[in-house]
Amino acid sequence: MSIVADRAEQLVKEGRLTEAEQLFAQAVIGRQDPEAMNEFGWFLLQTGRLSYSESVFERLKRLAEAAGNDRWTAVALSGLGQVHDRLDQYEQAEREMRRSADLFLEEGDSANAAGVLSNLASVYVKKREFDRAETALLEALTNYEELGQSSQAAVVRGNLGVVYLRKGNLDKAEELLLGAASVFQGHEMSQEFASQLANLATINRRRSLFDEADAKLRHATEIYERLGLEPEIVGTLLSRSSVSFDRGAFAEAEDLLYDALEREGKISRPQVLTDIYMGLSRALEYRGEYEEAERLLRSAIGLSERFGLWHHVATGYAKLGRLFAGQGQIPPAREFLRAAEQGFEAIAAHEEAEQIRKALHALPDGERMSAQSSMAT
């Protein structure tokens, strides 16, 4: 099966995603091979085929449970948790990952348990439950340290740094991220080192050190280029576009986003495409191309609805509302902001829903908004 996986990975790098999927499917369909099913499920997950990935992991879970195999049940639950995390179904993802980690521990597999706990921490961060994220990561860190897996322990410390970053403790975050990066200092061309650079760039961005942030992201991009990691390159291009927006370099941000779009077109991950469309809509709005900005936002919403990315759907409606508000068109602005509020509440994103309510409250009565009361985008 590893030969099939290697060939599929090469096809993805060449932009031949459909061929890669067909190759994998032919090797898996009709077989009761848990290893093959797991590899196929993860392949689909990484390429954004979330519904298909979910069905494969569900099939693996049923097969494992019927055989009374707790280890493969844990593997399937881990995959399902990742799928539901990306679908913004955080409660379900949490249950699956927690059960997966428990099963791995019962099987005496503390390494895989630690990996699942690290992913669970990411879910907690998205739910803004930072203390629970920290607890999960500390448990994972203990497991890796007891196993003597220093590289994995360093990655977890970096993840702890991200938690502190989200909590606003930039000094502690920087300390942890620099410590994690130092472990890979002798392997400057490693994916792990590039990942820590990208996280450190976020701290620079929070401190308005935009040139330093961009330099780190450029360095990370160079590493990913040499490693042939196209999905990671797209991620750094998106991050660099955010830095460009922050410093008012809208044309630069637009160029970076079009570069990301061209690269992502070969991979076609719905969630990433949606992020790119939303970024481009911001650049187009700045240039006064409101109709094109609206078209991209509607495309982003449609794509997100098709793949069940409900947080992205709500975000898209929020951006549409602000786009119309910025033009002084109050009725459609109110309509889209209300849709955003309902969308965020439906997925228990209460803080974001509250921000939308504040935006709705700030809208003036009447059909149009004066220039003085225009909302910021």
Side-chain angles (χ1 to χ4, degrees):
M1 192 63 199
S2 60
I3 296 175
V4 173
D6 290 344
R7 176 58 181 153
E9 183 178 349
Q10 182 59 40
L11 288 170
V12 170
K13 288 181 179 179
E14 295 171 4
R16 298 157 65 185
L17 188 61
T18 301
E19 290 180 56
E21 186 174 318
Q22 290 173 345
L23 177 68
F24 239 131
Q26 289 168 2
V28 172
I29 291 173
R31 297 176 60 187
Q32 300 295 306
D33 182 347
E35 183 176 350
M37 292 164 65
N38 183 50
E39 287 195 26
F40 188 36
W42 280 98
F43 166 79
L44 293 166
L45 176 66
Q46 295 302 323
T47 54
R49 273 46 178 180
L50 300 182
S51 296
Y52 197 176
S53 177
E54 181 181 29
S55 68
V56 171
F57 283 126
E58 284 285 3
R59 181 181 161 202
L60 174 58
K61 179 172 172 284
R62 289 194 299 270
L63 181 68
E65 288 176 338
N69 190 316
D70 285 347
R71 182 182 180 280
W72 278 112
T73 300
V75 170
L77 286 167
S78 174
L80 284 168
Q82 287 279 286
V83 170
H84 293 131
D85 175 18
R86 297 191 187 195
L87 287 170
D88 305 326
Q89 297 172 14
Y90 301 134
E91 300 299 330
Q92 187 168 350
E94 178 186 347
R95 288 192 298 271
E96 289 161 343
M97 290 183 186
R98 186 73 259 180
R99 180 58 180 151
S100 174
D102 289 344
L103 285 173
F104 276 129
L105 287 172
E106 289 171 12
E107 291 290 302
D109 189 348
S110 56
N112 270 319
V116 175
L117 287 167
S118 295
N119 292 330
L120 177 59
S122 176
V123 174
Y124 288 141
V125 167
K126 291 170 185 174
K127 294 173 66 181
R128 303 187 66 81
E129 296 178 1
F130 300 122
D131 290 342
R132 296 181 75 186
E134 184 177 0
T135 298
L137 287 170
L138 288 172
E139 186 178 346
L141 181 61
T142 298
N143 287 355
Y144 283 134
E145 287 179 338
E146 289 177 351
L147 292 168
Q149 297 186 8
S150 58
S151 294
Q152 292 298 327
V155 171
V156 173
R157 289 193 188 93
N159 291 341
L160 273 169
V162 173
V163 171
Y164 281 108
L165 173 61
R166 294 294 300 273
K167 291 171 75 171
N169 189 339
L170 300 187
D171 291 339
K172 182 65 174 179
E174 185 174 40
E175 176 189 338
L176 285 162
L177 289 167
L178 286 171
S182 69
V183 173
F184 304 107
Q185 199 69 47
H187 307 277
E188 284 86 353
M189 295 312 300
S190 72
Q191 182 177 352
E192 292 81 5
F193 184 69
S195 177
Q196 301 310 321
L197 282 175
N199 288 330
L200 285 164
T202 304
I203 294 177
N204 291 144
R205 183 184 169 201
R206 292 281 185 89
R207 290 172 170 162
S208 299
L209 301 173
F210 301 129
D211 289 343
E212 292 183 29
D214 191 59
K216 287 184 175 67
L217 289 168
R218 284 176 182 271
H219 189 179
T221 303
E222 290 170 2
I223 295 172
Y224 292 141
E225 288 272 14
R226 294 187 187 182
L227 294 173
L229 298 173
E230 200 71 9
E232 284 72 17
I233 294 169
V234 172
T236 54
L237 288 170
L238 277 166
S239 296
R240 286 187 62 204
S241 73
S242 296
V243 173
S244 297
F245 278 129
D246 286 344
R247 59 185 176 189
F250 282 76
E252 179 182 81
E254 187 174 355
D255 288 342
L256 289 165
L257 287 164
Y258 276 119
D259 187 0
L261 181 61
E262 182 179 357
R263 292 171 183 270
E264 187 59 33
K266 301 174 184 178
I267 309 170
S268 297
R269 294 168 295 176
Q271 190 167 358
V272 178
L273 284 170
T274 297
D275 289 336
I276 294 171
Y277 291 160
M278 289 185 183
L280 283 170
S281 74
R282 182 180 179 185
L284 291 166
E285 180 185 3
Y286 177 76
R287 289 206 274 116
E289 297 186 23
Y290 300 119
E291 290 185 4
E292 184 63 13
E294 179 187 349
R295 185 190 68 79
L296 280 173
L297 286 174
R298 289 185 182 275
S299 294
I301 291 169
L303 186 62
S304 298
E305 287 178 333
R306 179 182 169 193
F307 287 92
L309 303 170
W310 303 116
H311 189 277
H312 279 64
V313 171
T315 300
Y317 279 126
K319 289 181 181 295
L320 265 179
R322 290 182 171 119
L323 175 67
F324 279 98
Q327 299 172 67
Q329 299 183 40
I330 303 309
R334 184 174 289 112
E335 175 188 349
F336 290 126
L337 288 172
R338 283 174 176 161
E341 179 193 6
Q342 293 169 2
F344 284 130
E345 286 291 2
I347 58 173
H350 302 303
E351 289 190 18
E352 286 162 295
E354 179 59 28
Q355 291 173 3
I356 297 299
R357 281 190 284 274
K358 290 178 180 177
L360 279 165
H361 183 72
L363 289 176
D365 295 329
E367 293 295 311
R368 295 195 63 82
M369 180 189 297
S370 68
Q372 288 82 0
S373 59
S374 293
M375 294 173 59
T377 56

